[in-house]
Amino acid sequence: MPDPNDAYRRLQEHLDKMPIGYPPTQSGVEINLLKTIFTPEEASATIHLDYKHRTVDEIFETAQEEVGSKEELTRILDGIVAKGGISRRTRESEKQYAVLPLALWGMYEFQLKRLSPEFLQNFGQYIQGEFGQELARSNLPKMRVIPVEESVQAEQYIATYDELRGLIQRAGDSIGIQECMCRKVADLQGKPCQSTDRREVCMSFGDLAELYIEEGWGRRISQEEALGFARQSEQEGLVLMPGNEQEAAFMCACCSDCCGTLSMIKYLPRPADAVASNFYAQVNPVLCQGTGTCVGRCPMDAVKMDGAQASVDLARCVGCGLCVPTCPENAISLAKKAVETVPPETEADLFDRILASKGAQQPHP
């Protein structure tokens, strides 16, 4: 009889070829994670998927030796979707499927309703080791920062992909709101978020929103509701972080104490290099009275008091603008960077660029 572990190893090797890879470990923790989501049969079927969505007909071309019919393949794939192992979307009434990265709105976040201590322990070990190194390999940031609406001056030009309202309007009616995975994990660990009591703070857009709604992981909201949720997050000092593409698939509302991505970025020597942002904060020394409100609002510890004056460390500033609206003297503002960074059009384009950037790098040992 074939060894069922072979299916998991083949799936690991397949996922490691994706834009955000899935590297092997000495401990085997990456295999343990796969076993919590996939059966051996499901692992074998997933090997025939790519990071770009494909139809059942396309997948069956290579999977037919392992799966007897297209109907059976569809049943298997939908079963994996329900467990948060792969992605699904619909085009012209036809289902399409794709593999997911482990994290950054991938398999990890899709376990929202299936969390177990075993999964969290394995994920924590993996992200602190080989998978964390994988996330750091690409020079192209996978997330970006949307500046607080009030922090952008009226005379400044702001592209729709940097504007909260424009980002939401582009999603049309396909907007979902769901629990924040990071805060849910923090609650389970007895370390509740210090920034907000809300748990429904993360949004999904487009195909991702439809998937969350179909699977019961989130609920549909209107554009005005989405704006209201986002503005409340800004008031609470949360950083709005969508994926680094113009047609955003998701938007997190992050704090630096319990949110995995932002907390990791905070402890880098240069957080400004880890996310895409077209703005930075600057202090007007004439207006600044040294009240220090900006220091407490900054999630990156980028603002310091130099005597009676505030100053901004540009290597740490991610351009969120949270410091701007609460300054009583209006002494701090956002300035636009000299060179604007234009994100890829779609998530697929982003993944194409990440994969291309990795082409010249050395593969995993």
Side-chain angles (χ1 to χ4, degrees):
M1 293 182 63
D3 185 347
N5 286 324
D6 290 345
Y8 295 114
R9 180 55 65 194
R10 287 187 288 121
L11 177 56
Q12 176 270 313
E13 292 171 348
H14 180 66
L15 294 176
D16 199 32
K17 298 174 185 175
M18 299 297 115
I20 300 177
Y22 195 82
T25 70
Q26 290 291 327
S27 66
V29 67
E30 80 284 9
I31 300 300
N32 293 338
L33 282 168
L34 295 178
K35 287 180 177 180
T36 63
I37 302 175
F38 302 86
T39 65
E41 177 189 51
E42 292 168 342
S44 295
T46 304
I47 293 168
H48 300 280
L49 275 61
D50 189 27
Y51 71 93
K52 294 184 178 180
H53 286 81
R54 299 166 64 201
T55 65
V56 172
D57 286 346
E58 292 171 322
I59 298 167
F60 190 69
E61 288 181 7
T62 58
Q64 56 187 304
E65 292 185 3
E66 300 173 44
V67 183
S69 68
K70 295 176 183 177
E71 292 74 20
E72 178 67 6
L73 178 60
T74 302
R75 182 193 67 78
I76 293 172
L77 296 177
D78 282 338
I80 307 171
V81 170
K83 294 191 293 182
I86 60 175
S87 175
R88 181 185 63 217
R89 71 182 189 185
T90 303
R91 288 289 184 274
E92 298 179 355
S93 301
E94 189 171 26
K95 293 178 179 179
Q96 299 178 350
Y97 303 86
V99 296
L100 289 164
L102 176 61
L104 296 182
W105 286 76
M107 287 185 275
Y108 171 71
E109 288 81 5
F110 281 22
Q111 300 307 301
L112 188 64
K113 304 296 184 180
R114 302 180 69 249
L115 280 177
S116 69
E118 178 188 9
F119 180 84
L120 291 177
Q121 181 179 356
N122 287 325
F123 178 79
Q125 181 180 340
Y126 196 30
I127 200 168
Q128 290 174 23
E130 287 83 353
F131 186 69
Q133 295 169 19
E134 169 63 22
L135 289 179
R137 292 182 81 207
S138 172
N139 294 324
L140 184 65
K142 301 167 187 69
M143 299 182 73
R144 58 195 174 93
V145 171
I146 294 293
V148 171
E149 281 188 301
E150 294 178 66
S151 67
V152 180
Q153 300 173 14
E155 64 271 17
Q156 287 180 314
Y157 167 76
I158 180 169
T160 54
Y161 48 77
D162 277 337
E163 180 191 27
L164 176 61
R165 183 177 290 274
L167 186 151
I168 289 173
Q169 287 177 339
R170 187 162 184 169
D173 296 327
S174 294
I175 305 175
I177 187 84
Q178 51 274 331
E179 288 182 278
C180 170
M181 182 66 157
C182 296
R183 291 181 176 87
K184 184 164 187 175
V185 171
D187 287 341
L188 291 173
Q189 295 174 339
K191 302 174 183 177
C193 181
Q194 301 301 303
S195 299
T196 180
D197 292 330
R198 295 180 301 134
R199 295 299 176 261
E200 274 190 332
V201 296
C202 294
M203 296 186 210
S204 50
F205 305 114
D207 294 320
L208 184 63
E210 297 301 330
L211 177 58
Y212 263 81
I213 294 164
E214 288 170 13
E215 294 298 327
W217 303 336
R219 61 187 178 89
R220 192 181 304 277
I221 58 174
S222 67
Q223 291 186 12
E224 285 307 310
E225 286 176 305
L227 280 168
F229 278 117
R231 286 168 178 156
Q232 188 173 354
S233 293
E234 291 176 339
Q235 291 170 4
E236 292 176 334
L238 306 181
V239 181
L240 300 181
M241 297 184 67
N244 190 22
E245 62 269 351
Q246 296 183 40
E247 191 175 306
F250 65 87
M251 183 167 68
C252 297
C254 299
C255 63
S256 57
D257 61 331
C258 64
C259 292
T261 300
L262 201 62
S263 61
M264 284 193 297
I265 291 171
K266 180 178 181 177
Y267 290 103
L268 295 174
R270 296 183 58 86
D273 296 339
V275 293
S277 174
N278 284 318
F279 294 86
Y280 63 92
Q282 60 182 4
V283 176
N284 184 327
V286 176
L287 297 177
C288 181
Q289 299 297 309
T291 57
T293 56
C294 50
V295 176
R297 285 280 285 181
C298 181
M300 293 290 103
D301 294 337
V303 187
K304 304 289 185 183
M305 294 305 299
D306 183 10
Q309 289 277 308
S311 63
V312 179
D313 182 350
L314 297 185
R316 300 200 61 81
C317 177
V318 296
C320 63
L322 288 172
C323 56
V324 175
T326 55
C327 177
E329 292 86 24
N330 296 317
I332 194 164
S333 61
L334 282 190
K336 196 165 186 181
K337 293 180 179 178
V339 178
E340 181 176 2
T341 300
V342 179
E345 181 72 20
T346 66
E347 185 178 58
D349 295 331
L350 173 65
F351 284 157
D352 283 343
R353 290 197 194 180
I354 292 174
L355 194 59
S357 73
K358 291 170 59 176
Q361 299 179 25
Q362 293 296 316
H364 295 120

